[in-house]
Amino acid sequence: MKKLFTFCLLFLALQPILSIPKTRPNVIIILVDDMGFSDIGIFGSEIKTPNIDLMGKKGAVFTQFYNAGRCCPSRASLLTGMYPHQAGMGGMVITGDYDRTKTGAYQGFLNVNTPTIAEELKKNGYATYMSGKWHMGEKRPDWPNQRGFDHFYGLISGANSYYELLPKRQLIEDNEPFSPQGNYYFTDAISDKSVSYLQKNKSTGKPFFLYVAYTAPHWPIHAPQDLIDSYKSRYTQGWEALRKQRFEQQKKLGLDFSHGTLPASDPNLISFENEADKASWIEKMATYAAMVDKMDQGIGKIIQELKANGTFDNTVIFFLSDNGACHEVLDDRSSQDLGPEKYKASLNTKIGAPGSYTTYGKEWAYASNTPFRMYKHWMHEGGISTPLVISYPNEIKKNIQSHQVGHIMDIFPTIMELTHTKTTKVVEGKSLVPILKQRKRDAQSFIAWEHLGNRAIREGDWKLVWDNEIKAWELYNVRKDRIESHNLIKSNPDKFNDLLAKYTEWAIIMQVK
């Protein structure tokens, strides 16, 4: 009788796992940092990204997919399926001390009452791994291992050198400090740890969720010198020429959002022809390109491991960027990050080498975002548009290019549906599965954004956007004018008032400041 009772308890305990289909897919999310819309081959780039490109050519490519415009908000939205404000990340992570009992739209750490993808999948029998940049909370209770990940290796903080750990940064492995040693390069470390997790998982018998959060190509721009040298000849004509080259390639690829006309450049950009030190500018863009190339090589290692262990066909891979290309110039920030002595040394250090600390500048960033306007943290298309690539060989049998509108919060419910994961959580995002089945889906009636005072709302073909520096609303028909070159606010007052009312209501619900 005792044996029977024990068997019954074991049987009941196993029911949730046994009732789930054995064909549940594995899931990998690859999130890159500060990569522009046109920085991969299938979106117009000259940078070598064969692994990402092949996933796109054999999978699904989304041309009107949005992130949240900045690293922390996008990561929060991705992991929770909510708007950033609902997940506590309307602004940025708090890097100093903070009170975890105080919550709200700008609390600066991931809301503890908003489950993550990892937490939901772990409850449903998945092994969960993360390698890369967290940036969702600086205190230990807010780290990945406490938010659903079985194993984590990477950076708790935001930007860091690719060669060493800078002051006030936290690099950890499973809650313990990690010190880089020897010939260390963070992009390679993220890739190699991801591969080791895949190897580790083989003995578990579980499906897996792997979140690969590269810091590349976020500043500081660092890359191996031989790879930098291989790209220099491509950038000798400057950013305007690069922009034109990428735009022509986009037209060939069917990605012409401006009906054959490349919009004028940002009038605040300097002229490459007038620059006395062209060599430094070329070195900067070559270094940035090398960072993207190295990241793609790492993705190739991950794909090779999947194929070697027979799981590639049954693995869903999402690839996207957390925001558009970055316009930032470091200046005083470099001294704060490095300390006075290292900062002085960095000024005489070769771009891309250990000890250097710089960005590639607004000029190259504008080319990275071809053909769109503006940059990271703005809500114009250059700040919030990302390529999205989904690979899933078992289900996507031929290439899909979708022009349906989507948002980074849609990835959470997509994963829940693909993995047959039952969750009681109600999310803002809408599953992309109908698109993968080549059907029109019922998406949100509108999508809205706010970050550091920059705001936007898109409903159907129309977009209303506020630049917090100019302090003015702009209205665009993004089906006809996705590059946002013709402000229609004066000629369409009814549409302006309608979208403004909807944005205002949304902002109240989201507790926007």
Side-chain angles (χ1 to χ4, degrees):
M1 186 69 179
K2 185 176 180 181
K3 289 183 178 179
L4 178 61
F5 179 72
T6 302
F7 173 80
C8 290
L9 285 177
L10 181 61
F11 178 79
L12 289 171
L14 290 174
Q15 279 306 290
I17 296 176
L18 294 174
S19 64
I20 296 173
K22 293 181 180 179
T23 57
R24 288 186 302 168
N26 307 300
V27 179
I28 298 178
I29 297 175
I30 301 172
L31 183 71
V32 298
D33 202 345
D34 285 11
M35 189 193 80
F37 185 78
S38 69
D39 278 333
I40 57 175
I42 53 172
F43 277 74
S45 182
E46 72 296 332
I47 301 172
K48 295 178 183 178
T49 55
N51 296 294
I52 301 167
D53 295 347
L54 188 58
M55 285 195 296
K57 290 173 182 176
K58 292 188 175 183
V61 175
F62 292 72
T63 64
Q64 297 201 59
F65 201 80
Y66 292 109
N67 48 50
R70 195 80 180 273
C71 43
C72 300
S74 286
R75 283 167 168 73
S77 196
L78 169 70
L79 287 171
T80 66
M82 309 297 282
Y83 278 111
H85 303 75
Q86 295 169 310
M89 208 64 69
M92 296 291 286
V93 156
I94 297 175
T95 55
D97 190 25
Y98 55 91
D99 183 353
R100 296 187 71 254
T101 66
K102 293 183 178 180
T103 59
Y106 302 91
Q107 65 190 47
F109 60 95
L110 197 60
N111 192 322
V112 296
N113 297 317
T114 305
T116 67
I117 295 172
E119 287 169 326
E120 295 295 281
L121 291 181
K122 185 174 182 177
K123 289 189 298 186
N124 285 272
Y126 273 72
T128 56
Y129 309 96
M130 179 180 172
S131 178
K133 173 179 170 179
W134 178 237
H135 215 197
M136 288 284 95
E138 293 284 312
K139 289 188 176 181
R140 188 185 181 102
D142 302 312
W143 290 359
N145 289 98
Q146 285 68 256
R147 293 311 309 260
F149 290 95
D150 294 323
H151 295 286
F152 168 74
Y153 164 79
L155 191 64
I156 293 297
S157 320
N160 183 58
S161 167
Y162 288 74
Y163 301 114
E164 61 178 332
L165 185 62
L166 296 179
K168 300 180 182 179
R169 303 295 196 272
Q170 299 183 83
L171 185 63
I172 67 168
E173 184 166 15
D174 289 339
N175 288 329
E176 297 300 325
F178 181 91
S179 298
Q181 302 293 330
N183 188 24
Y184 185 85
Y185 183 67
F186 191 42
T187 299
D188 286 344
I190 292 171
S191 302
D192 293 344
K193 183 58 67 172
S194 298
V195 170
S196 74
Y197 285 151
L198 296 177
Q199 294 169 340
K200 178 195 293 283
N201 191 72
K202 287 187 290 187
S203 63
T204 69
K206 294 181 177 182
F208 63 81
F209 168 54
L210 171 62
Y211 176 29
V212 186
Y214 286 105
T215 51
H218 192 295
W219 54 261
I221 49 172
H222 286 154
Q225 189 61 51
D226 59 340
L227 200 52
I228 296 172
D229 291 341
S230 73
Y231 277 100
K232 287 182 184 179
S233 63
R234 298 171 186 256
Y235 304 118
T236 57
Q237 301 303 309
W239 36 85
E240 275 301 328
L242 179 63
R243 216 167 147 254
K244 291 174 183 176
Q245 292 165 14
R246 289 192 177 186
F247 181 65
E248 289 304 314
Q249 183 62 18
Q250 287 175 334
K251 289 198 291 186
K252 293 177 183 177
L253 294 168
L255 298 173
D256 182 6
F257 302 114
S258 53
H259 307 285
T261 304
L262 182 65
S265 283
D266 182 338
N268 297 314
L269 299 185
I270 60 176
S271 168
F272 182 76
E273 293 304 318
N274 295 335
E275 276 301 295
D277 190 6
K278 290 185 175 67
S280 291
W281 281 105
I282 293 168
E283 190 92 21
K284 287 179 179 181
M285 185 61 203
T287 303
Y288 179 91
M291 294 172 76
V292 175
D293 187 326
K294 205 75 167 76
M295 174 263 296
D296 182 82
Q297 291 179 39
I299 293 171
K301 293 179 183 178
I302 293 168
I303 292 173
Q304 288 171 11
E305 179 59 32
L306 292 172
K307 290 181 176 179
N309 65 34
T311 58
F312 178 69
D313 288 350
N314 195 42
T315 299
V316 189
I317 304 176
F318 299 83
F319 172 89
L320 71 163
S321 179
D322 64 349
N323 46 249
C326 180
H327 68 295
E328 295 167 2
V329 177
L330 296 180
D331 294 336
D332 293 341
R333 173 69 186 266
S334 298
S335 180
Q336 294 171 14
D337 287 353
L338 297 176
E341 294 304 317
K342 282 191 173 183
Y343 172 62
K344 288 179 184 178
S346 74
L347 299 177
N348 298 312
T349 303
K350 188 174 178 59
I351 293 167
S356 64
Y357 205 80
T358 189
T359 68
Y360 75 151
K362 179 187 288 189
E363 285 70 21
W364 289 120
Y366 209 71
S368 283
N369 281 336
T370 303
F372 301 136
R373 285 179 57 204
M374 305 308 284
Y375 317 88
K376 166 186 177 179
H377 102 218
W378 272 273
M379 303 298 109
H380 290 77
E381 294 294 289
I384 58 177
S385 298
T386 178
L388 172 66
V389 174
I390 301 179
S391 168
Y392 187 11
N394 272 357
E395 296 296 329
I396 304 174
K397 301 300 183 183
K398 62 179 182 179
N399 174 254
I400 299 168
Q401 188 180 91
S402 175
H403 303 298
Q404 295 186 51
V405 176
H407 187 276
I408 194 167
M409 63 186 171
D410 296 339
I411 290 176
F412 183 109
T414 303
I415 290 172
M416 296 301 109
E417 183 171 352
L418 289 173
T419 58
H420 312 284
T421 297
K422 293 181 179 179
T423 175
T424 58
K425 179 183 177 185
V426 177
V427 297
E428 291 284 349
K430 303 292 184 182
S431 174
L432 301 169
V433 170
I435 299 176
L436 300 182
K437 294 181 178 180
Q438 296 185 279
R439 300 199 304 263
K440 186 173 176 60
R441 68 169 185 148
D442 294 325
Q444 297 88 349
S445 59
F446 64 79
I447 306 170
W449 295 261
E450 186 277 333
H451 182 65
L452 298 182
N454 292 311
R455 314 164 197 168
I457 180 170
R458 176 170 175 174
E459 181 180 51
D461 295 337
W462 290 90
K463 181 182 174 187
L464 185 66
V465 58
W466 170 276
D467 184 329
N468 203 40
E469 291 185 1
I470 297 174
K471 307 292 184 186
W473 286 107
E474 302 164 20
L475 179 68
Y476 300 101
N477 184 317
V478 284
R479 179 175 61 84
K480 298 178 180 179
D481 178 30
R482 194 169 166 209
I483 59 173
E484 301 169 315
S485 59
H486 302 292
N487 185 0
L488 303 175
I489 199 162
K490 291 182 180 179
S491 59
N492 290 267
D494 291 343
K495 178 57 67 175
F496 164 65
N497 289 325
D498 176 53
L499 289 179
L500 180 58
K502 288 173 179 174
Y503 174 84
T504 302
E505 182 179 4
W506 174 87
I508 292 171
I509 294 170
M510 295 296 144
Q511 300 179 335
V512 169
K513 291 181 180 178

